[in-house]
């Protein structure tokens, strides 16, 4: 079994020839100059490549980035993440120009809830309160009563009067987790993240046998069989905080491997091991193919051309805003 440790990551990378370094440095300088000249705020999710995280003004989870997007006074938001995150920024701060480095950076979870099918589903259950995970399109948000993220899903569900029935969409694994924690019965949409479902429990067990002192920490998008093995379950920010404050020295991290970059910076003396996946892929870890579509070259092109830009129908935006506002007002 191949295993990835952040400390050994660099050994997998062949040293770049001097001219590659030169172009890289030039590219980074051009990005910083364009950011400065155009007063751009650059937001990056924890799953972005380390070189993108390093250039961002804010790196965070989906909730923190939504809050940063709403607060910013910068005329341009360059959102280094996936489409639903950039859309959320536009919903919350519509007078800003919102750019996404690669327009194809989607999300399998968001795609699992096509708006027309979702509409039919909620129309079939007209008395349910509709709670949608932020990983969904603006159209789905616009049909929802309240949005949640992985960091506040439990609080959002607990805020709904106990006598009300609830639809939870689109992530059935996060929904099942919230159901277990809150004891509320949720009508779950049948969606999942293609990245988190790939974590292999058999390989995890082998790894835990090899590192019996390690704590397993997992994102709630993982299926129940993974979460049942975990010492801590939480959003990307919560996993990062846990690594910083927990006394253990070894952690197996069951989420997208991009988070290991910030974890390593925050806790340089701790051993961080990315949870293994079924497929024997290059990094033997979870990588979101959509998040990884963004590159420094595309960041540069987006800053230069001010494209691809997120555009929204104003009626959809306003309805999606209401659902997001309900979440943000919960604190
Ligand atoms: P966070 O809310 O932890 O940022 O998760 C977002 C995400 O897409 C996880 O796959
Ligand atoms: Fe979507 Fe999963 Fe990628 Fe997160 S990790 S952006 S849920 S596909």
């Amino acid at each position: 079994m191949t295993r990835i440790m952040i400390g050994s990551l660099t050994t997998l990378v062949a040293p770049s020839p001097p001219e590659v370094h030169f172009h890289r440095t030039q590219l980074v300088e051009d990005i910083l100059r364009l950011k400065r000249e155009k007063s751009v705020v650059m937001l990056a999710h924890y799953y972005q490549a380390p070189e993108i995280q390093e250039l961002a003004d804010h790196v965070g989870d989906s909730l923190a980035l939504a809050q940063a997007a709403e607060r910013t006074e910068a005329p341009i938001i360059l959102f280094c993440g996936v489409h639903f995150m950039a859309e959320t920024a536009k919903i919350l701060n519509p007078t800003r120009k919102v750019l996404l480095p690669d327009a194809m950076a989607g999300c399998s979870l968001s795609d699992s809830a096509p708006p027309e099918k979702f509409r039919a589903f909620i129309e079939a259950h007209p008395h349910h309160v509709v709670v949608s995970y932020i990983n969904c399109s603006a159209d789905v948000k616009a049909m929802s009563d309240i949005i949640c993220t992985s960091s506040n899903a439990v609080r959002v569900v607990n805020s709904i009067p106990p006598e009300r029935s609830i639809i939870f969409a689109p992530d059935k694994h996060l929904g099942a987790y919230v159901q277990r924690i809150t004891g509320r019965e949720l009508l779950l949409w049948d969606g999942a993240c293609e990245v988190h479902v790939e974590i292999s429990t058999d390989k995890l067990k082998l790894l835990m046998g090899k590192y019996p002192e390690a704590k397993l920490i997992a994102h709630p998008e993982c299926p129940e069989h993974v979460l049942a093995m975990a010492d801590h379950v939480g959003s990307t920010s919560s996993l990062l905080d846990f690594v910083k404050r927990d006394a253990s020295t070894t952690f197996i991290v069951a989420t997208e491997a991009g988070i290991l970059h910030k974890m390593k910076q925050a806790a340089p003396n701790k051993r961080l091991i990315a949870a293994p996946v079924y497929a024997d892929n290059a990094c033997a870890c979870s990588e979101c193919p959509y998040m990884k579509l963004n590159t420094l070259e595309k960041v540069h092109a987006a800053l230069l051309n001010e494209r691809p830009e997120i555009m929204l129908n104003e009626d959809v935006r306003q309805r999606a805003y209401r659902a997001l506002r309900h979440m943000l007002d919960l604190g």
Side-chain angles (χ1 to χ4, degrees):
M1 179 183 58
T2 344
R3 191 174 55 247
I4 183 172
M5 278 183 232
I6 193 76
S8 62
L9 236 184
T10 45
T11 62
L12 301 174
V13 182
S16 315
E19 67 274 18
V20 175
H21 274 309
F22 172 75
H23 289 308
R24 215 71 193 156
T25 313
Q26 190 58 52
L27 189 62
V28 168
E29 274 177 17
D30 285 350
I31 289 172
L32 293 173
R33 177 181 52 76
L34 284 164
K35 259 183 80 208
R36 218 175 25 249
E37 284 173 6
K38 298 190 177 200
S39 302
V40 174
V41 67
M42 182 171 163
L43 308 180
H45 190 266
Y46 288 125
Y47 294 167
Q48 290 292 282
E51 64 269 23
I52 293 181
Q53 294 190 35
E54 286 305 303
L55 296 180
D57 299 294
H58 303 281
V59 182
D61 69 358
S62 46
L63 178 62
L65 293 176
Q67 289 165 331
E70 183 176 39
R71 269 195 318 265
T72 189
E73 290 183 0
I76 301 179
I77 300 171
L78 176 63
F79 209 115
C80 298
V82 290
H83 193 268
F84 76 81
M85 295 179 175
E87 243 183 13
T88 301
K90 185 72 183 174
I91 294 166
L92 291 171
N93 207 339
T95 59
R96 311 298 181 229
K97 186 179 261 193
V98 180
L99 308 173
L100 178 67
D102 190 315
M104 301 307 286
C107 166
S108 63
L109 191 47
S110 177
D111 290 348
S112 73
E116 284 324 309
K117 281 196 177 157
F118 192 66
R119 183 184 306 284
F121 183 68
I122 61 176
E123 281 175 2
H125 304 94
H127 302 300
H128 285 60
V129 176
V130 180
V131 179
S132 292
Y133 186 32
I134 200 165
N135 298 37
C136 65
S137 64
D139 287 311
V140 167
K141 286 185 178 74
M143 291 180 231
S144 307
D145 295 301
I146 186 164
I147 305 302
C148 69
T149 74
S150 56
S151 39
N152 61 21
V154 167
R155 182 154 19 133
V156 166
V157 166
N158 277 333
S159 75
I160 296 165
E163 65 279 9
R164 298 296 308 274
S165 305
I166 302 173
I167 284 175
F168 190 95
D171 188 2
K172 64 179 173 189
H173 296 305
L174 174 64
Y177 169 73
V178 173
Q179 200 160 239
R180 287 193 295 279
I181 300 291
T182 60
R184 297 289 293 268
E185 202 182 312
L186 306 176
L187 181 58
L188 302 178
W189 179 265
D190 187 14
C193 159
E194 69 178 44
V195 178
H196 287 83
V197 298
E198 275 306 300
I199 292 168
S200 157
T201 32
D202 287 348
K203 290 182 180 178
L204 261 182
K205 281 178 197 154
L206 286 176
L207 201 53
M208 290 163 87
K210 188 164 173 144
Y211 296 97
E213 76 286 12
K215 286 210 170 137
L216 174 65
I217 58 176
H219 195 281
E221 284 176 21
C222 294
E224 214 230 306
H225 54 258
V226 173
L227 299 183
M229 297 164 70
D231 298 289
H232 176 69
V233 175
S235 70
T236 44
S237 298
S238 163
L239 300 183
L240 177 61
D241 284 347
F242 189 81
V243 165
K244 282 196 249 179
R245 55 162 219 275
D246 191 79
S248 310
T249 54
T250 305
F251 299 87
I252 300 171
V253 184
T255 191
E256 214 271 0
I259 187 74
L260 296 185
H261 178 61
K262 275 279 175 272
M263 285 180 176
K264 187 66 192 169
Q265 287 178 334
N269 299 322
K270 297 191 173 176
R271 179 191 276 144
L272 303 163
I273 307 170
V277 288
Y278 292 109
D280 287 324
N281 63 8
C283 77
C285 66
S286 298
E287 276 212 301
C288 173
Y290 313 103
M291 286 278 180
K292 289 333 196 241
L293 282 175
N294 296 327
T295 60
L296 280 187
E297 285 75 12
K298 290 176 193 171
V299 165
H300 179 260
L303 286 168
L304 194 64
N305 306 320
E306 299 186 17
R307 284 198 164 42
E309 184 184 353
I310 302 292
M311 304 294 248
L312 285 174
N313 168 289
E314 182 55 17
D315 173 56
V316 169
R317 189 199 71 76
Q318 283 185 19
R319 285 185 289 122
Y321 178 83
R322 266 202 300 276
L324 276 163
R325 188 79 265 146
H326 285 151
M327 169 186 80
L328 293 167
D329 287 347
L330 279 183

